[in-house]
Amino acid sequence: MDERRPLCFRCKCERARAVVRQREALCASCLEEVLHLRFKSQLRRDPRLDSRTKCRPSKRTSQGARGNERTTKLAMACSGGTASSAMLRMLAHVQSREQGRAERGRIAFAMEAYVVDESCLADEQDARTTERFAARVAEEATNIVEDSRKAQEDAESSAGRGEPLAFRAHVLPLEDVFEETSNGTERRRRCRELVLGVRDETGREDLIAHLRMRRLRAAAESKGVDLLLLGECATRMAVRAIAETVKGKGYAMPGNIQLADSRLGKDRPTVLRPLRDSVAKELAFYCHFVGLRLHEKPWRVVQGTTLNGLSDAFVATLQANLPSSVSTVFRTVEKIQAFPFNQEWEELNTEFQSSCITEPAQVPTLCTLCLAPLSKRELDARDQADRMNKQEGSVLCRSCLVQIVGTDTTVLANLPQSMRHRSQDCVQDKSQRNAAARAYIADYLLDEEE
Amino acid sequence: MGIGSGHVRVALGFGGGLELVVKGRQQSVQANVPVEEQGEADVSMRAVVAYVRDQLVEKPEMFAKDEGVRPGVLVLLNDCDWELDGTLDARVSDGDSVTFISTLHGG
C-alpha cells in the first residue's frame, strides 16, 4: 500500500502521508517543517519577537518596574486540544535555548502556558471526571515542552548547554473572574449561577468564551506578560467570521481575526494569533504524526445546537466539497478594514503616542462583556439606557444584549465587577477621556466670557 | 481470525472529541468487520465506516453522513490520510489501523 502512495510534493523523497491545501500531498517531515516556518514567520511580525530588529519592549507602568531591555515574555492559552497543543510544541521548537539571546534561526523569549479550569461549570455527577482535567492538561503541556526540547538536544547533540529554560503551565480557575469575592466556594457558585442563568444556548457558549478570555487577560497582565498567544487557526477564524456575522457582530468581527490585538492599550498584553495561516486539518495531522496526546473536555455545559456549532458544520461541509473554502472565507474577511488596535506594534506605538488625545475616534468604546468595539449605531441605541437603568459604566454590544442578557437583567446583576464597569477596560482614564472629548468639540464650545 | 474467516480485524482509533460519542467513550477499539462478499480477505473503507456508525457510536449523526463520514472528520488508514488511498474505496486488510479524528468543536 505504501508504494502506491505518491511521493511528497515538496521533498520528492518520502512517501506522502497527508493531503493538504489544494490537494498537495506531503510527508510528515515536510508538513512539520512547513507549519513551523509559517508559525515562525507570523511570530516574527511582532518586532518584540524578531531578533533581527532592535526593539525595546515598552516600559510597563503596572505590576512592577521593568527594565529598558529584557527578554520578551509570552504566555499561551492551552486547552489540551489540537491547535493549542500544536502551538505549544511549535513554540518550544522555535524558542532560543539560551536565555535572553537569540540563536541562529530561533527566537529569544520566555514562555509559560495557561490552562483555564472550567470544572465549576460541570454537573455534580461529572465531578470525578472533571476534577483533575485542567491539571492533566497542564501536566501534558509541560511534557510537550520538555519532550520537544529533549528531542532537539538529541538531534543537535547539544545536551547540557546553558541553563535550562524555565517553563510553567498555570491552572487558572474560571471562577476567579469574581475577584471581589474572597471565598472560593462562593466564587464557584456565582460563576455557575451566572452561566446557567443565560437562557439562550449560543449566548451561554459565548459568555463562557468571554469569561475565559477575561481570565486569560487578567492572568497575563498580573504576570507581566507582553504577548498572549491564542491557538486560533484559519478554520476557527473562518467559522468565527460566519458566526459573528450571523449574530450581528459584523462591525467588530474584523478586530478578532487579525494577527495582533492591542485593544486594551499598548501597556497591556497584546493578543497574538500566530496559527492563522494553518487550517484545522493540517494541525490535526501534525499532532497525530508527532504523537501529541490531546485532551478533550469530558463534560458539556451547552447541550443543544448553537449558532457557533451550525457555523462550524457549515464551514466543514463547504471545506469537504471544496478544500479552498476556509482560505477563501478567511482571506476575504481579512480584507475588511481592521481597527487601529490591530496594527502591528511599531505602527501602534506611533499611533498611540501621536493621535490618542487629538483623535478620540481612533480609540473605540468596547462592550463591557465581550470587549467588541461598538458601532455608532450601538452606542446611540436607546434601549441601552432602558436596559441599563442608566447604570454607570455598562455598555453592551447588540449581540451580547440579545443573546446573553436577553429580556431579563438578572444576568447583568450576576456579572463579575470587572465586566460591569467600563472604566477598567478603556485605554484612557476618565480625565483623559474628558480632555479628548473637549478637544473633539472644541469648535462648538462657548468661551467663559460669552 | 484469518483469511476467509468472514471478518477482518481492524484497530480503530478515535480522537479530537469523537471518543465522546463512542459507546463506552473508548479511544481505541479492536473490531472484527464483516467482509462484504464471501471469500474476500479485505473490506472497503465504506464497510468500516458503516460498521462504526451502526455498532460503535451512540449518536450516528455526529460521526457519519450518508455512506461517508461527517464533514470535519479526518480519516487515517495506517497513519496516512485516506485521500491518498481512495477514501471510501480504499481497501482495509487484516491487522490494519483506521483512525478517525474530529476537527469540529461541537455545538
Side-chain angles (χ1 to χ4, degrees), chain A residues 1 5-6 16-19 23 25 236 280-281 284-285 288-289 296-298 300 304-306 309 312 316-317 320, chain B residues 16-17 19-20 25 27 65 70-72 74 76-81 83-85 91 96 99 101 103-107:
Chain A
M1 178 95 61
R5 292 193 184 113
R17 286 179 69 188
V19 178
R23 311 253 187 241
R236 207 52 35 222
K281 182 179 181 183
F285 275 124
H288 185 82
F289 292 154
E296 195 67 31
K297 240 186 333 220
R300 291 191 64 169
T305 308
T306 63
D312 207 351
T317 305
Chain B
E19 63 272 30
L20 301 176
R25 292 193 169 187
Q27 280 189 317
K65 185 181 173 186
R70 185 187 177 190
L74 304 181
L76 290 96
L77 172 56
N78 296 324
D79 282 337
C80 295
D81 192 345
E83 287 189 39
L84 293 164
D85 297 314
R91 305 303 298 179
D96 279 351
T99 310
I101 303 175
T103 57
L104 297 167
H105 276 60

Side-chain angles (χ1 to χ4, degrees), chain A residues 198-216:
Chain A
V198 177
R199 290 182 201 157
D200 183 85
E201 303 249 285
T202 302
R204 199 177 314 145
E205 202 167 61
D206 286 350
L207 179 59
I208 296 171
H210 301 326
L211 291 173
R212 191 185 299 134
M213 200 57 218
R214 281 279 169 169
R215 194 65 197 91
L216 289 167

